[in-house]
Structures are given as C-alpha cells and as structure tokens.
C-alpha cells in the first residue's frame, strides 16, 4: 500500500517522511547519500501517492487585487517592514505568506519580488513581548516558488506579526530591487485572525487599487481552490434581473453561534478568457442577516459587505463576524452589480456559502432557497451548500494552503530523489554488466580449468603409466638380471661352499629387495624406505651389477646427496641401474667408471665404459628415466673411446630434505 501524508498538520508529516523544510537541505542531502535503494524507491512512491491527493496549483485570472509592493530600492540589502495587527491576542498556530505571482513564460509561473532574506516576528502589545518566529536566508532555498510559505508558530499568543526584510530580490519586469507580497494570514485553528486587520507599512505605494496595503489582509490569494478529485458542482445564480431584492436563505436546522462566513464566487471559470469579470453575481452591496425565526422577524445584521469594484472581490470572500446565535441566514442583494451597466443584466449568486461556528461549517448540506428563478447554471439550490465548487471539494483555507505548500516541497524534492535513483540505477546497471562479464569470465575460466584439469589428469595418467613401465623395466629388470647373474655365479661355485654361501646370501637379499621394489613399483615416489643411504646403495649396486667388470665409483658432496628427497633418490638409483645394465648387455666393455658429484645448484652423474662406443644417442629407456627425474642425459664418445652417459639435474630447494637422510 502506498504511503500518504495526512494533510492536516503537514509539517509534522513532512518531517516524518524526511522531506526537506527550509533550513534542512543538509539533512536531505545526507538522506540522499545514505539511503538504501529501496528507501529511495519507497520515497518516490510516497511522493507520487501524495501528489495525487493534494490540491493543484490553479491560478486565478481576470482583474483583481494583487497585494502590496514597496517603492523600488537602489540596493538589494534594504530593510522593509510590514506590520499586521488584530483586535486581541490569539493563540497562533501558523503564519502563511502568499507571494505575488507572475507569468514568466508560456505555462510557467514564478513568485515575483519575494524577499531573499527576511525575518518574521510576532508578539502582543505588552512591552518586550516580541518573539522571532523564523529567519530565512538564500541558503534556505525558498525561491523559486509559487506556493505559499507556511511558518509554524506552535500556539504562540500574539496580537501582531511583523516581516522585516534583509535582502530583496528583483522584479522580473524591470530587474529593479523591490519587495512585493500578496497576502499575510495568521491562523488560530482554521480562523484567519489577520483577516481585515490593521496594516502598517512605510508609505503607500502609488500602484492603484491593485497594490493597496489593505490587500495584504483582504483574504484574496492568487489561487483557485482546486482540490484533488473529480467531484464538482455548478454555481447557484439567478436569471437576468431576477429578485427585488434578490435573496438566498439557508436553514441551519439548529441554532449555532455563527462567527465567520466564506462566499465562493461563481466566476464562470470554465473558459479562457472568462466570459465575465470576477464581480459576476456579487452585488455591489450585500447584507447578510441572521435570525431564529423563519420569517426573519427577529433578524440581526451580521455583515454589510460593499464590493464596488473588481478589486474588492475575489474567488473567496472571507469575513470574520461577531458571534451571533442563528438558525436562519439570509443574503440580500441591496445593490446589484450591473453587467454592461444595464439593470436587465444583473445577476446574483454564488458557488458556495460557508457559515462557520468555530471551525465547523454548519451550513454544509443544509437546505437553501432563493426568491428568484435560477439561471442556466444550477437547476436547484442544493449546490449552494454541497461543499463543492466548479473545481472540486471545498476545504478549510488553512488546509488548502498547507496542501499547496506541501505540493511545492514534494515537487521540489521528487526530481532530486529521482535523479539519485537514476544515478543508482545507472551504477547498478554498470555493476550488473560487470558482474555478467565477471560471471562469463568465471564460466569460461571454469570450463578452461576443467579442460586443463582433464589434460593434466590425462598427462598424469600417462606419466604414471610411463613411470610404472619405467620402474618395472628399470628396477625389476635390473634386479632380475642381477638375480640371473648371481644364480650363474652360485652354480659355478658349487665346489667352493663358502663362496657359494656368500653368493646365495647376496641372491637372497636381491630377491628381498626385488619383492620390496615390486610392492612399490606402482608408486615409487612413496617408497621412502628405499635407498635411504643413497651412497651405500650406489656402491652395492655397482658391485653387484658390475661384478665381472673392472669398476670404480666416486662421490663428491656426499652430505648433500643424503639430503635428496626419496623420490629423487629412487629415480637416481633407477637411472644408474639402467646405465649399468646397458653397459653390461650391449657395450662389451671390460671397465666402467662412475662419478656422482653434487653442489647446492646441480647434481651430475656420469657413467663411462670402454666398450664399443655409441652413436651419440642416449637409449630411450635411459632418456625416459632422465625425463622423469627432471634432468637431462647426453651421450658422448670420449677421446680414449667407449661411451660416456652424463646426467645433469638442477637442484631446487624443494628437491632437498631439511635434514640428511642419515
């Protein structure tokens, strides 16, 4: 459900919703910066919902009183003073200042010569009883505006109000500094106590009846009461020249102390321009009578209203009355208004008559009658008290002006909130676009990662198969070959039991080691117990495999050799065995010399024989083992003949254990 402000007491509602008031621009800027996106969206919805139920800015036309303006001044920093006084101290709830409005361009209006900086004071006739209600500067952002300015008073007791300017604005007509104001209202409840009050200004402007100082308290404002909604009703107006004198009578159906009257002019306001002036239907002299008897035998005059010209009338004629108990109220046209100055063209009538007892319109919905035939507007007198005019529902004047002020604040706020929302949406759109790109990139990365993982897995499977094959070939093949040699040796030593026993012990140990290697051949990298003493194992391997050859193996950097990690020890041993097996099987050599040298940067293993030589090609099984080891093997032919296989293995810190294997 959309949130709406309660129109009565709009300032509190406006503050509750966080809308900006004069002097709170910083707070609103802070709200725009810190509010969540949902809060801004809710704010726009609330503003739109309220704009739909608030009165509209519909400006009056024709000829009439405008307000008051001071003489032109040479400087903007000029003090002008307006004082308004009424009969007795009243509890004041609000002061409302209505600006003079000009047409700036087609369908555009703005306040003209409303002061930029000023202060508002109020008080009573008691000495020293003066209160500063408010002070406004350019920073408060009152302009541009066409709305009334509402100043809360919170029940201050006062019998006067004073406006003092500190800086004037310029008239749009001639760009000269001047102070203009249409109306000053002081509300106690719904009653404007400043109505028809005493005005004090420095001198009278010479602008004619449209600019008299008394216009500041005549109750005429530059707006038409145009409430939200579609309910309207026509004016009750006599036919031409009807009534002698013409009267309208309202039966309140009970006795009320009537203390205020509002007469809503007929205006004929549905054409542009108007058919008639704003004096249409309003007599030059109108007497309002009250009575307790239906025949007005006990009549009392409540008001004699003189309206000799268009400058004395307006859309709503408002007057405060001395309270008088009445049941019947009669409006008597003592001197009709002549259209075209001809008696046969007189008219008499109003769109609505409101009679107040306190803050209540006691005439609302009550029966009315006329002593004349109705013209072509309303067909009966019901619209005279139905609470509606040509534009919609009639509301209390204070509520109406508050709605206009609230509309101004909301219409000023909405573009800023909408702009912040659009900025947030643009940033959100940019973020979503980047998130889409990021998600796409992540998706591609995931697919690419999965593909790489599959490639690496296949490569790992291949390397595992290759390593298993190499391990079986190198470790088990070498061991089986050694077992075969030891078996042949044991057979030749059958006549030397002691030597044969040693060979058989070696044969048994070789069989045990072969079984151990077979158990770990599928993952030789985890066989930590193999070749724990690499130097000793290399010597024993040389003695076993090269027993029939003249052989020698030397070591350099033994402490570093002991620090090789298990996987490197295993692969190095297998590489060495493969080299010896190739020498024994294929070279026909009688001598083999091996050398193992290790520095912190590199390990070098060389195996040289005096065999039949090589074509400078490392056997494929040896080359495969070197690749698994992470090194590089080359084959060369030394000057003295034979073959030299040399393995070069770079040493990185991750190849070494922190402590030696011993």
């Amino acid at each position: 459900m959309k949130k709406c402000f309660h129109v009565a007491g709009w300032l509190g509602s406006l503050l509750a919703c966080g809308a900006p008031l004069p002097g709170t621009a910083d707070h609103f800027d802070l709200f725009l910066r810190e509010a969540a996106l949902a809060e801004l969206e809710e704010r726009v919805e609330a503003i739109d919902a309220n704009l739909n139920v608030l009165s509209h800015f519909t400006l009056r036309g024709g000829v009439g009183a405008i307000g008051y303006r001071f003489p032109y001044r040479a400087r903007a920093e000029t003090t002008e003073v307006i004082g308004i006084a009424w009969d007795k101290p009243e509890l004041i709830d609000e002061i409302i200042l209505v600006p003079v409005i000009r047409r700036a361009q087609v369908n555009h209006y703005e306040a003209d010569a409303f002061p930029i900086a000023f202060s508002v004071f109020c008080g009573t006739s008691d000495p020293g009883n003066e209160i500063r209600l408010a002070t406004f500067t350019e920073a408060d952002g009152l302009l541009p505006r066409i709305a009334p300015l509402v100043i809360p008073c919170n029940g201050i007791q006062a019998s006067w109000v004073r406006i003092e300017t500190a800086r004037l604005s310029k008239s749009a007509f001639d760009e000269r500094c001047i102070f203009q104001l249409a109306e000053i209202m002081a509300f106690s409840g719904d009653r404007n106590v400043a109505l028809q009050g005493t005005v004090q200004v420095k001198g009278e402007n010479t602008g004619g009846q449209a600019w008299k100082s008394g216009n500041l308290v005549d109750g005429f404002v530059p707006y038409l009461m145009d409430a939200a909604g579609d309910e309207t009703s026509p004016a009750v107006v006599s036919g031409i020249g009807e009534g002698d004198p013409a009267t309208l009578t309202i039966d309140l159906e009970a006795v009320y102390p009537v203390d205020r009257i509002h007469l809503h002019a007929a205006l004929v306001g549905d054409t542009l321009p108007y058919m008639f002036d704003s004096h249409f239907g309003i007599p030059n002299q109108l007497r309002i009578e009250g009575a307790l008897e239906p025949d007005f035998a006990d009549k009392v005059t409540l008001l004699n209203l003189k309206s000799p010209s268009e400058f004395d009338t307006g859309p709503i004629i408002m007057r405060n009355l001395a309270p008088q108990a009445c049941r019947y109220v009669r409006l008597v046209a003592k001197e009709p208004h002549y259209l075209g100055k001809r008696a046969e063209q007189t008219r008499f009538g109003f769109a609505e008559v409101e009679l107040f007892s306190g803050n209540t319109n006691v005439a609302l919905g009550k029966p009315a009658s006329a002593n004349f035939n109705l013209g072509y507007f309303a067909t009966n007198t019901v619209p005279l008290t139905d609470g509606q005019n040509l534009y919609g529902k009639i509301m209390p004047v204070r509520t109406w002006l508050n709605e206009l002020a609230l509309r101004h604040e909301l219409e000023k706020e909405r573009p800023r909130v909408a702009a912040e929302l659009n900025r947030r949406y643009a940033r959100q759109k940019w973020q979503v676009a980047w998130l889409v790109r990021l998600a796409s990139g992540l998706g591609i990365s995931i697919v690419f990662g999965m593909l790489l993982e599959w490639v690496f897995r296949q490569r790992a499977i291949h390397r595992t198969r290759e390593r298993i094959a190499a391990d079986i070939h190198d470790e088990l093949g070498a061991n089986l070959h050694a077992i075969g040699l030891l078996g042949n040796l044991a057979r030749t030593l059958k006549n030397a039991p002691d030597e044969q026993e040693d060979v058989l012990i070696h044969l048994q140990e070789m069989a045990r080691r072969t079984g151990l290697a077979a158990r770990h051949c599928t993952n030789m990298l985890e066989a930590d117990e193999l070749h724990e003493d690499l130097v000793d194992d290399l010597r024993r391997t040389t003695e076993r495999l090269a027993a029939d050859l003249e052989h020698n193996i030397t070591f350099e950097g033994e402490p570093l050799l002991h620090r090789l990690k298990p996987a490197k020890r295993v692969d190095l041993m297998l590489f060495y065995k493969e080299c010896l097996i190739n020498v024994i099987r294929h070279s026909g050599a009688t001598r083999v010399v091996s050398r193992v040298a290790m520095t912190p940067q590199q390990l070098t293993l060389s195996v040289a024989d005096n065999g039949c030589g090589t074509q400078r090609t490392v056997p494929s099984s040896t080359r495969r083992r070197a690749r698994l080891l992470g090194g590089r093997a080359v084959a060369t032919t030394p000057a003295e003949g034979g073959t030299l296989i040399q393995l070069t293995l770079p040493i990185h810190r991750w190849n070494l254990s922190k402590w030696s294997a011993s």
Side-chain angles (χ1 to χ4, degrees):
M1 180 181 295
K2 294 183 177 180
K3 296 182 179 179
C4 294
F5 304 119
H6 195 275
V7 174
W10 70 274
L11 287 172
S13 301
L14 201 56
L15 287 171
C17 187
L21 293 174
T24 62
D26 292 341
H27 295 84
F28 184 63
D29 291 339
L30 181 64
F31 167 77
L32 288 181
R33 289 194 302 270
E34 296 185 353
L37 183 63
E39 291 179 288
L40 294 175
E41 291 173 336
E42 183 180 353
R43 185 66 160 265
V44 170
E45 290 181 3
I47 291 174
D48 290 342
N50 280 276
L51 290 177
N52 288 333
V53 298
L54 293 176
S55 297
H56 303 283
F57 285 109
T58 301
L59 303 181
R60 58 178 288 197
V63 178
I66 300 173
Y68 179 76
R69 68 180 176 189
F70 285 81
Y72 289 107
R73 304 300 182 187
R75 298 172 61 252
E77 288 73 19
T78 301
T79 300
E80 304 282 21
V81 180
I82 296 176
I84 307 294
W86 45 92
D87 295 338
K88 60 180 181 178
E90 301 276 1
L91 294 178
I92 306 302
D93 300 309
E94 288 177 349
I95 302 293
I96 296 181
L97 306 182
V98 181
V100 171
I101 299 174
R102 66 178 291 272
R103 181 182 287 106
Q105 50 187 286
V106 178
N107 294 327
H108 178 69
Y109 300 87
E110 62 183 23
D112 189 36
F114 192 80
I116 295 174
F118 63 97
S119 297
V120 180
F121 303 85
C122 71
T124 63
S125 58
D126 296 336
N129 190 3
E130 177 175 301
I131 299 173
R132 183 190 294 263
L133 288 176
T135 297
F136 300 97
T137 66
E138 187 174 5
D140 294 311
L142 298 182
L143 300 175
R145 70 187 302 115
I146 62 172
L149 176 64
V150 179
I151 305 171
C153 300
N154 302 317
I156 294 176
Q157 191 172 55
S159 60
W160 56 265
V161 61
R162 185 175 75 249
I163 293 95
E164 293 184 6
T165 66
R167 185 180 178 191
L168 307 180
S169 61
K170 294 181 179 180
S171 169
F173 176 72
D174 52 16
E175 291 292 317
R176 297 169 66 186
C177 296
I178 193 171
F179 175 26
Q180 300 179 162
L181 200 61
E183 190 78 14
I184 301 174
M185 297 181 171
F187 282 96
S188 178
D190 286 334
R191 184 167 171 262
N192 176 17
V193 298
L195 185 65
Q196 302 295 309
T198 302
V199 182
Q200 295 179 344
V201 294
K202 292 182 179 179
E204 188 72 27
N205 187 272
T206 58
Q209 288 183 292
W211 291 106
K212 295 189 304 182
S213 60
N215 295 344
L216 291 171
V217 291
D218 60 4
F220 301 142
V221 294
Y223 321 109
L224 297 178
M225 186 177 286
D226 185 1
D230 299 327
E231 298 178 354
T232 64
S233 68
V236 175
V237 181
S238 71
I240 296 176
E242 294 286 347
D244 186 23
T247 64
L248 288 169
T249 304
I250 300 173
D251 180 5
L252 302 180
E253 298 182 332
V255 177
Y256 295 99
V258 176
D259 58 12
R260 187 159 40 108
I261 185 170
H262 290 182
L263 302 174
H264 294 256
L267 287 181
V268 196
D270 59 349
T271 60
L272 293 176
Y274 291 163
M275 292 173 58
F276 306 106
D277 59 35
S278 59
H279 211 298
F280 178 81
I282 301 176
N284 291 344
Q285 184 173 347
L286 175 68
R287 185 172 73 234
I288 302 173
E289 303 171 339
L292 298 176
E293 300 297 331
D295 60 357
F296 282 82
D298 58 344
K299 66 182 180 182
V300 176
T301 299
L302 302 179
L303 177 67
N304 276 311
L305 182 65
K306 294 183 179 181
S307 305
S309 73
E310 292 85 350
F311 298 102
D312 300 298
T313 62
I316 308 175
I317 301 174
M318 297 178 280
R319 292 292 185 271
N320 294 327
L321 309 173
Q324 180 68 45
C326 304
R327 171 172 175 174
Y328 301 95
V329 175
R330 183 168 61 187
L331 283 66
V332 183
K334 295 294 293 179
E335 181 184 337
H337 176 68
Y338 297 93
L339 299 177
K341 305 301 180 181
R342 291 184 297 173
E344 65 271 18
Q345 290 187 339
T346 61
R347 295 273 192 175
F348 176 45
F350 296 93
E352 185 81 12
V353 175
E354 294 183 284
L355 299 169
F356 291 91
S357 179
N359 292 327
T360 304
N361 175 17
V362 295
L364 182 63
K366 302 302 172 60
S369 60
N371 70 341
F372 50 78
N373 295 323
L374 298 180
Y376 52 82
F377 298 103
T379 59
N380 55 58
T381 57
V382 172
L384 194 67
T385 58
D386 64 355
Q388 299 171 5
N389 63 13
L390 183 63
Y391 300 97
K393 180 182 177 181
I394 293 174
M395 63 183 68
V397 173
R398 178 185 170 188
T399 301
W400 167 44
L401 295 179
N402 272 268
E403 286 195 12
L404 294 182
L406 178 55
R407 173 175 286 277
H408 167 76
E409 298 296 341
L410 296 180
E411 288 180 345
K412 183 172 68 172
E413 175 187 347
R414 193 189 188 286
R416 297 187 62 190
V417 180
E420 178 64 19
L421 266 178
N422 290 334
R423 189 184 70 82
R424 299 274 189 97
Y425 287 148
R427 185 174 64 183
Q428 191 179 64
K429 183 178 180 180
W430 178 83
Q431 290 173 340
V432 168
W434 272 105
L435 285 175
V436 169
R437 294 189 186 99
L438 180 60
S440 300
L442 287 175
I444 294 173
S445 299
I446 290 172
V447 173
F448 186 70
M450 294 173 64
L451 181 61
L452 284 179
E453 183 183 5
W454 180 83
V455 171
F456 291 152
R457 189 183 301 115
Q458 295 301 315
R459 183 179 295 178
I461 292 172
H462 173 73
R463 289 175 64 87
T464 300
R465 290 174 178 171
E466 185 179 33
R467 178 175 290 278
I468 291 173
D471 292 346
I472 292 175
H473 177 274
D474 298 344
E475 179 71 12
L476 298 185
N479 288 351
L480 291 175
H481 181 71
I483 289 172
L485 293 176
L486 290 172
N488 292 334
L489 182 59
R491 192 167 48 249
T492 60
L493 296 174
K494 60 183 178 179
N495 295 323
D498 294 337
E499 296 180 9
Q500 187 181 48
E501 184 177 357
D502 291 338
V503 172
L504 291 175
I505 291 173
H506 283 298
L507 183 62
Q508 185 179 15
E509 175 64 21
M510 181 59 67
R512 185 189 70 81
R513 294 179 65 86
T514 300
L516 182 62
R519 286 195 302 273
H520 295 283
C521 69
T522 57
N523 195 353
M524 296 289 283
L525 293 176
E526 296 180 358
D528 294 348
E529 66 273 23
L530 288 179
H531 314 302
E532 292 180 347
D533 189 344
L534 180 61
V535 173
D536 188 53
D537 285 352
L538 287 172
R539 284 195 178 101
R540 286 200 302 268
T541 298
T542 305
E543 291 175 357
R544 288 196 305 269
L545 296 180
D548 294 337
L549 305 176
E550 180 184 347
H551 59 271
N552 183 40
I553 183 169
T554 59
F555 297 92
E556 297 177 13
E558 287 190 32
L560 291 174
L561 283 171
H562 290 307
R563 290 183 57 193
L564 276 177
K565 288 192 174 181
K568 294 298 181 184
R569 296 199 306 264
V570 171
D571 285 337
L572 189 63
M573 176 60 72
L574 293 177
F575 178 86
Y576 184 57
K577 285 183 179 181
E578 180 66 19
C579 290
L580 291 181
I581 293 298
N582 287 334
V583 169
I584 295 168
R585 288 180 176 175
H586 309 297
S587 68
T590 60
R591 177 169 52 84
V592 61
V593 177
S594 304
R595 177 177 173 271
V596 181
M598 185 172 176
T599 66
Q601 292 77 32
Q602 181 174 281
L603 184 147
T604 304
L605 170 62
S606 60
V607 179
D609 64 68
N610 61 351
C612 59
T614 180
Q615 299 298 322
R616 297 180 180 272
T617 302
V618 179
S620 60
S621 59
T622 306
R623 189 168 57 252
R624 176 180 59 193
R625 179 56 62 182
R627 185 174 65 252
L628 293 174
L629 184 60
R632 179 171 178 269
V634 295
T636 60
T637 301
E640 62 272 17
T643 301
L644 173 65
I645 301 293
Q646 182 169 304
L647 169 71
T648 303
L649 173 65
I651 298 299
H652 305 286
R653 63 179 181 274
W654 55 82
N655 297 141
L656 302 176
S657 299
K658 188 173 182 180
W659 311 106
S660 68
S662 59

